[in-house]
Amino acid sequence: MRFFATTIASIFLYGASSISPSSAFTISTSGATAASRRTSASAYSLRKSPSPSQLQMSSDSDDQPVVVTLGIVGGGTVGGGICEILSSKSSYLETLTGGAKIAIKSICVRDASKPRDFDVPDGCTITEDISSIVNDDDVDVVVEVMGGTTIAKDVVFDALSNGKHVVTANKALIADCLSEIQSHLHSLNDGKSSSDAVQFNYEAAVCGGIPIIRSLQDDYPGDSVSMIAGIINGCTNFMLTSMDRDGLSYDESLEKASELGYAEADPTLDVGGFDARSKLKIMMRLAYGIDVDEDNIPCRGIQELTSVDYDYAKKLGGTIKLLGVAERVGDKVSGFVSPCYVSSNDSLSNVNDATNAVEISSGNLQRTTYIGQGAGRFPTANSCVNDIVSIVKGNRSTEPFNPPSPSSKFVQKYDSVFYLRLKYEDALGITRQCGEICEKHGVSIHSILQNPVTSKSNAAFVIVTEKVSNTAMKQVVAELEDLEWVQGPAFWMPVLRPDWM
């Protein structure tokens, strides 16, 4: 990697990600309340790398500007957005970085003959060869926006091994390979000062345009995060908004999300909660210093939600959101992804459509809420460009995932108030049996709700508990489902705040 009289950026454009309109990002701090599969480990040869310190704001001659060469791997929507932002903001970025120029050397795409939906920069070469970027000695920073956990993993690890800084938007890769990435970075940066360390930046990987990663890295070193609660998947939030506000069924809301480009052809990662779980895992590592296997984080999607649940949620004075929640109590950290009842006076209840929001509760700042667009061309590309600029400005960290916390332990057990909905066939003793089973497992009932029965085939009632453990609730639900009068599986979910009543 060498500096030239002009900065060259190479962008490797592969796949596309979903498009959603960009909007202003908001941070709200209250009380502060103020308005982001598995592949086997493989060995990577560590070739002798040029020193990343070459990217410091200096040049070989007073007459020549600093040169930074980018290689962006992955394409279409986000890659094109990066090109457009770098082009439109070139003069401003040059001033901001103290004279560094950022240009584009080459764009590697899956199909070089395919027309691009953005202007290819002057002097830029279109290629289909990944190695021409990863192994190019002139490339200083590789930006990976292709997605996936196979080829993308090779791109990231090989680029780092070759002494190149990496910027990525790949949450699946980070969630799946976080410990490997961390070990690889430690081996590469061992004995180096932070100014010489190869950098790994990933702001766009969680909540697109919301700067939640940088905030967790930079804004809480003197604080202690007690809880994270977030609407961190735009597709499901759009669907649940349609079910609540517009009265659509689950199938109708999914069809509408697909028409607007929010849902993939196979929406399982979104509606099953798995996309949100990957993001939650990354935030838990940053906030609590623990690396949790994704499969150990309880995860429940939105497929079982019905209009009946929204009727009861409105009766209770709130709504239902798919949330990723993590909480620390002492040295124990719990986390889950699940639909949750959220009261109408809660800030998260009013975050609608495809918008994302993350609320962080901490000792010093109390509650801080970050709201903005979690996906789309320009929100995601904006975060990638910010990461690039951070590197060019010389911002350095040897711990991109924050230091680990050996004393913290992840547990699957957590306490909450719970909502339980049961479909039933009329019979004697229903209330008595519910009370007996709850008492048997130490679950106290706060209230029982039942709307007028308009159809015997769709009769349902709801139990709201006092604060109990999720393990006790599982036992109650399993025993209730075995009763003859219970029709089909029960649906249950946590209430976001135990003091909501």
Side-chain angles (χ1 to χ4, degrees), residues 347-412:
S347 60
L348 293 179
S349 71
N350 296 311
V351 178
N352 294 318
D353 300 312
T355 304
N356 281 196
V358 179
E359 180 188 275
I360 298 178
S361 300
S362 64
N364 297 339
L365 300 181
Q366 299 182 46
R367 288 184 187 172
T368 305
T369 304
Y370 304 78
I371 303 174
Q373 291 301 309
R377 185 187 195 101
F378 291 111
T380 307
N382 188 74
S383 289
C384 290
V385 170
N386 291 346
D387 277 347
I388 294 165
V389 172
S390 176
I391 292 171
V392 176
K393 289 170 66 177
N395 297 336
R396 297 288 184 267
S397 172
T398 57
E399 292 286 351
F401 300 112
N402 287 349
S405 177
S407 62
S408 296
K409 178 183 178 183
F410 179 75
V411 294
Q412 293 184 318

Side-chain angles (χ1 to χ4, degrees), residues 3-326:
F3 287 133
F4 295 90
T6 55
T7 300
I8 304 167
S10 348
I11 299 188
F12 186 104
L13 301 176
Y14 249 79
S17 58
S18 61
I19 300 175
S20 67
S22 62
S23 71
F25 156 73
T26 302
I27 300 180
S28 125
T29 261
S30 98
T33 292
S36 162
R37 293 209 113 114
R38 215 160 296 305
T39 57
S40 60
S42 57
Y44 291 85
S45 60
L46 305 184
R47 286 173 278 182
K48 184 171 177 58
S49 308
S51 170
S53 63
Q54 290 176 302
L55 284 180
Q56 293 173 355
M57 295 299 97
S58 62
S59 63
D60 295 336
S61 167
D62 292 338
D63 298 327
Q64 293 183 333
V66 170
V67 178
V68 180
T69 308
L70 305 183
I72 305 175
V73 182
T77 301
V78 177
I82 294 170
C83 289
E84 293 184 68
I85 293 173
L86 288 176
S87 174
S88 64
K89 300 287 288 187
S90 60
S91 297
Y92 175 79
L93 295 178
E94 183 176 348
T95 302
L96 181 67
T97 57
K101 290 183 178 293
I102 303 176
I104 297 176
K105 178 183 180 181
S106 61
I107 300 174
C108 191
V109 297
R110 191 186 302 275
D111 181 1
S113 65
K114 180 180 177 180
R116 314 263 68 89
D117 64 353
F118 57 92
D119 292 332
V120 177
D122 293 339
C124 176
T125 301
I126 301 295
T127 180
E128 297 177 0
D129 181 12
I130 292 177
S131 64
S132 69
I133 290 178
V134 174
N135 297 323
D136 186 345
D137 290 339
D138 295 335
V139 171
D140 299 310
V141 183
V142 171
V143 182
E144 183 276 307
V145 285
M146 68 182 295
T149 59
T150 51
I151 297 174
K153 180 179 179 181
D154 292 336
V155 169
V156 167
F157 278 76
D158 287 347
L160 291 170
S161 295
N162 289 345
K164 306 179 190 306
H165 302 302
V166 168
V167 170
T168 182
N170 195 331
K171 63 181 171 291
L173 175 64
I174 297 171
D176 195 47
C177 305
L178 193 153
S179 61
E180 283 186 79
I181 295 170
Q182 179 176 261
S183 296
H184 194 51
L185 287 168
H186 283 173
S187 66
L188 290 170
N189 292 330
D190 185 35
K192 295 180 180 178
S193 65
S194 60
S195 62
D196 287 336
V198 67
Q199 298 299 294
F200 181 81
N201 291 0
Y202 56 99
E203 183 63 72
V206 176
C207 295
I210 302 176
I212 190 64
I213 299 299
R214 189 65 51 82
S215 183
L216 286 169
Q217 289 171 331
D218 295 345
D219 298 338
Y220 293 88
D223 207 344
S224 179
V225 175
S226 57
M227 184 177 179
I228 298 171
I231 297 170
I232 50 182
N233 181 270
C235 172
T236 51
N237 200 46
F238 176 85
M239 291 176 61
L240 297 185
T241 301
S242 298
M243 292 174 69
D244 182 19
R245 183 184 63 199
D246 305 329
L248 271 60
S249 67
Y250 172 85
D251 289 336
E252 289 170 338
S253 66
L254 178 56
E255 181 180 1
K256 187 174 180 181
S258 299
E259 290 173 356
L260 294 174
Y262 295 129
E264 302 289 344
D266 179 2
T268 304
L269 289 178
D270 292 325
V271 300
F274 304 112
D275 174 82
R277 184 174 68 175
S278 293
K279 297 170 184 174
L280 181 65
K281 169 188 168 148
I282 296 169
M283 290 192 289
M284 289 172 65
R285 176 62 174 84
L286 287 164
Y288 304 122
I290 57 172
D291 185 13
V292 184
D293 188 319
E294 276 191 87
D295 292 335
N296 289 333
I297 300 175
C299 185
R300 190 186 191 105
I302 66 171
Q303 300 96 319
E304 299 171 70
L305 276 171
T306 68
S307 58
V308 171
D309 297 307
Y310 276 100
D311 289 341
Y312 279 110
K314 289 176 182 177
K315 181 183 285 289
L316 290 166
T319 188
I320 300 169
K321 297 290 186 182
L322 181 71
L323 300 180
V325 178

